[in-house]
Amino acid sequence: MPDGHRRETGYGVMKMENITQELAEIVGKTYVSWQAEERWFYGRDSGLMPAHQPDYVVLPRTVEEIQAIVRFAGREDIPVVPMGAGMSLSGLVIPQKGGIVVDMKRMDRILKVNETARYAVVEGGTSTGALHAHLNRYYPRLRFSIPDSPATTTIAANVMIHGQGRLTQQYGFNSDMVSGLEVVLPSGELCRIGSCALSDDWFSKGPPLPDLSGLFLGWFGATGILTKVGLKLYPRKKMRDVEIFITDSPDFVPGILYEITHTEMAEDINIFAQPLPLIFKDNHHIVVYFTGEDLEELDFKKKKIFHALDGFIRNKDGGFMTIGEGMRKTLLDMPQRSATTFADVTRGGGFEYSGPIIPIDRYPQCSRKLDELAVKYDLKYHATARVIGRGHAMMFAFSFTFNRADVDMMERTRKALHEASEYALSIGGLFWKPTLDEQRIALAKMDPQTAKLMKMIKENLDPQGIMNPGNWEVAE
């Protein structure tokens, strides 16, 4: 940009090169950019949400640098968007009003593992793959709830969107497994949440203190930037296995899930249904994972689960499927790589899903709705679901794949996803990692006092509205 040129923005007038220089003084000139190629890359994700470029990209290395960035942005009234790996697919880190994208990837240290108390403390840019590898090498008896997203996904971003993983069926959302937070507030001040606010121990995010983590988890960076996360760890058993129970009617799925969860023997329960390959057509596959220290424990759990489903087998409403070793290996992968294969089944590089959280008894309705949408919009689809808690809820994914070079197919996919979202809300579901449109739909339907409380929280924490603006904005 020519010297002396000024950029008119909603956050005031200042030479862009001067802003770049200010940011370079904070993080070093190697780690700040306003060049077109970086701005293009950071202005989009892999989903269908429209792109919008930031004005600057910075990669801080320390908490102090993040504090300085936020304070500077506050002085100049510049939006700030914290970013993990940008894997949400729903546009949550697309900078809707430009400003500064804060890429957290350089803050990737694993700071502490307390083996006896079973928790880890990681920086805000630490990936799930890095912690998984660290535990495998140094603490092989410990594990955490690994999501099925790529290993580059950051732990902070995953808990921020209430992610799910391989221990979700036992312990709830991955955000339920948080044991403490360190947050840079929109003012630039640093705040610790949970037991770490009183000591160096990160064993509780709240109780018996007031649980303030809800001021940040689920807000998508609109109330602060997570710089450290405490995460609960769990026993890693020596052995792990999987079985698949099949039924040809979605109506039987809730009852099957109820019986399996009632045994309390499963580590994880997933469901999938898809028309291709033909071996899977017209069936609903309940994938049950279980673990044990030895074969005796595995056999005991397997027998309990088999026995729980005797009634469905006797009535010929379902049965167990023989799993070949190749398929077993694929199913036991962590994260699950088969999802990546489906994501490019049209050979066009496009994949997105609406994944509402629903009571498990709504599975049949969502399954039939997905079939209807696939026919209506002529799309390839895949249904998948994951049980959360002891059957307290499930995530149901209306998944579609599309060719990015086919504009018409992309528009059909948008319409199908929008219809799926509205349908899920109409039957009592909740949006998971909602797009801006879904956030607006949810806020419009929400209890007015709840929306008012959210507005009060956001405006008090971020009175200038600089933190990831556009997200969870409550209209007057």
Side-chain angles (χ1 to χ4, degrees):
M1 184 172 291
D3 183 53
H5 184 86
R6 291 174 179 267
R7 176 183 173 87
E8 300 287 338
T9 72
Y11 46 79
V13 179
M14 184 178 183
K15 289 182 180 179
M16 289 191 74
E17 53 266 40
N18 288 353
I19 295 178
T20 307
Q21 181 60 37
E22 291 274 359
L23 293 172
E25 288 178 7
I26 296 171
V27 299
K29 64 180 182 180
T30 303
Y31 300 108
V32 60
S33 176
W34 61 322
Q35 298 303 312
E37 54 269 34
E38 277 88 8
R39 292 171 51 231
W40 185 93
F41 178 82
Y42 284 92
R44 64 202 66 234
D45 67 13
S46 299
L48 284 163
M49 295 301 104
H52 194 284
Q53 293 186 10
D55 297 293
Y56 315 93
V57 178
V58 295
L59 286 81
R61 182 67 189 89
T62 68
V63 172
E64 292 76 17
E65 288 176 1
I66 292 181
Q67 288 180 277
I69 292 166
V70 172
R71 286 178 177 135
F72 171 71
R75 288 195 304 269
E76 299 299 330
D77 204 21
I78 304 174
V80 176
V81 180
M83 174 184 171
M87 297 285 181
S88 77
L89 297 179
S90 51
L92 299 180
V93 293
I94 292 176
Q96 302 298 329
K97 298 184 181 180
I100 303 168
V101 166
V102 180
D103 186 332
M104 300 291 290
K105 67 166 59 80
R106 293 179 67 218
M107 294 186 63
D108 60 353
R109 291 180 300 166
I110 298 165
L111 300 171
K112 180 179 184 180
V113 174
N114 186 318
E115 186 171 16
T116 305
R118 293 196 179 108
Y119 70 79
V121 183
V122 301
E123 288 188 315
T126 305
S127 70
T128 58
L131 181 58
H132 182 50
H134 184 82
L135 294 179
N136 284 350
R137 181 173 183 181
Y138 298 108
Y139 302 94
R141 298 186 68 193
L142 295 176
R143 61 180 299 198
F144 68 105
S145 185
I146 301 173
D148 283 332
S149 52
T152 52
T153 300
T154 64
I155 292 167
N158 180 259
V159 300
M160 179 69 79
I161 62 169
H162 299 301
Q164 303 140 52
R166 286 297 170 186
L167 297 174
T168 300
Q169 192 271 316
Q170 293 175 302
Y171 302 108
F173 293 101
N174 286 359
S175 52
D176 293 322
M177 305 175 205
V178 169
S179 62
L181 297 173
E182 181 183 83
V183 187
V184 172
L185 302 175
S187 63
E189 296 170 297
L190 191 65
C191 178
R192 285 191 170 185
I193 304 296
S195 58
C196 60
L198 295 173
S199 73
D200 291 330
D201 294 306
W202 291 63
F203 60 88
S204 173
K205 68 176 181 179
L209 299 170
D211 188 353
L212 301 178
S213 64
L215 296 173
F216 307 100
L217 300 177
W219 286 87
F220 315 140
T223 54
I225 300 177
L226 303 188
T227 52
K228 292 186 181 68
V229 176
L231 195 67
K232 293 179 182 178
L233 305 175
Y234 299 90
R236 181 184 181 186
K237 300 284 189 173
K238 293 179 180 177
M239 306 181 75
R240 189 165 176 263
D241 207 350
V242 61
E243 295 290 345
I244 298 180
F245 192 82
I246 298 178
T247 180
D248 61 2
S249 172
D251 295 322
F252 293 127
V253 171
I256 293 168
L257 295 177
Y258 183 86
E259 295 303 331
I260 297 173
T261 55
H262 203 70
T263 68
E264 297 192 308
M265 294 292 158
E267 170 209 50
D268 190 23
I269 306 172
N270 296 331
I271 306 96
F272 73 88
Q274 60 191 59
L276 295 173
L278 291 177
I279 189 176
F280 296 141
K281 184 175 169 55
D282 298 326
N283 284 317
H284 301 263
H285 305 75
I286 295 93
V287 186
V288 185
Y289 295 86
F290 44 96
T291 59
E293 285 297 303
D294 48 39
L295 284 173
E296 183 180 4
E297 185 177 352
L298 279 183
D299 288 343
F300 173 78
K301 290 180 176 179
K302 185 183 296 188
K303 287 176 183 177
K304 285 293 184 182
I305 292 169
F306 277 36
H307 179 69
L309 299 176
D310 277 348
F312 292 96
I313 297 172
R314 286 197 304 269
N315 292 334
K316 299 182 179 179
D317 295 327
F320 284 95
M321 170 184 173
T322 301
I323 306 175
E325 284 309 305
M327 187 176 185
R328 187 179 301 276
K329 183 178 183 301
T330 297
L331 291 170
L332 291 173
D333 274 347
M334 291 191 296
Q336 188 68 258
R337 292 179 176 85
S338 59
T340 307
T341 303
F342 170 75
D344 196 31
V345 72
T346 60
R347 300 296 186 267
F351 168 69
E352 191 166 340
Y353 63 95
S354 173
I357 309 300
I358 59 172
I360 64 171
D361 60 6
R362 313 297 154 82
Y363 178 89
Q365 295 161 266
C366 288
S367 175
R368 291 190 172 97
K369 184 65 176 180
L370 178 56
D371 289 341
E372 173 193 321
L373 292 172
V375 172
K376 180 178 179 179
Y377 293 103
D378 188 23
L379 295 169
K380 289 184 172 62
Y381 75 93
H382 172 84
T384 185
R386 166 171 266 135
V387 174
I388 298 168
R390 299 299 200 271
H392 299 111
M394 67 160 52
M395 185 278 294
F396 183 97
F398 295 82
S399 304
F400 299 103
T401 181
F402 53 90
N403 185 340
R404 287 189 173 278
D406 188 329
V407 176
D408 179 67
M409 185 182 290
M410 290 180 68
E411 184 58 27
R412 297 199 313 271
T413 305
R414 286 191 183 94
K415 290 178 178 178
L417 289 169
H418 181 77
E419 192 170 331
S421 298
E422 289 197 321
Y423 178 78
L425 198 64
S426 75
I427 63 169
L430 298 173
F431 296 139
W432 177 49
K433 55 180 183 181
T435 64
L436 296 185
D437 286 340
E438 288 173 332
Q439 290 175 35
R440 285 190 282 267
I441 293 170
L443 287 167
K445 185 175 180 179
M446 189 179 294
D447 175 84
Q449 293 306 313
T450 304
K452 184 177 178 181
L453 179 60
M454 288 180 64
K455 181 180 177 68
M456 181 186 73
I457 290 169
K458 194 168 184 294
E459 288 184 346
N460 275 273
L461 282 173
D462 183 21
Q464 291 178 265
I466 65 168
M467 298 302 301
N468 205 1
N471 284 276
W472 290 128
E473 289 192 349
V474 184
E476 294 293 343

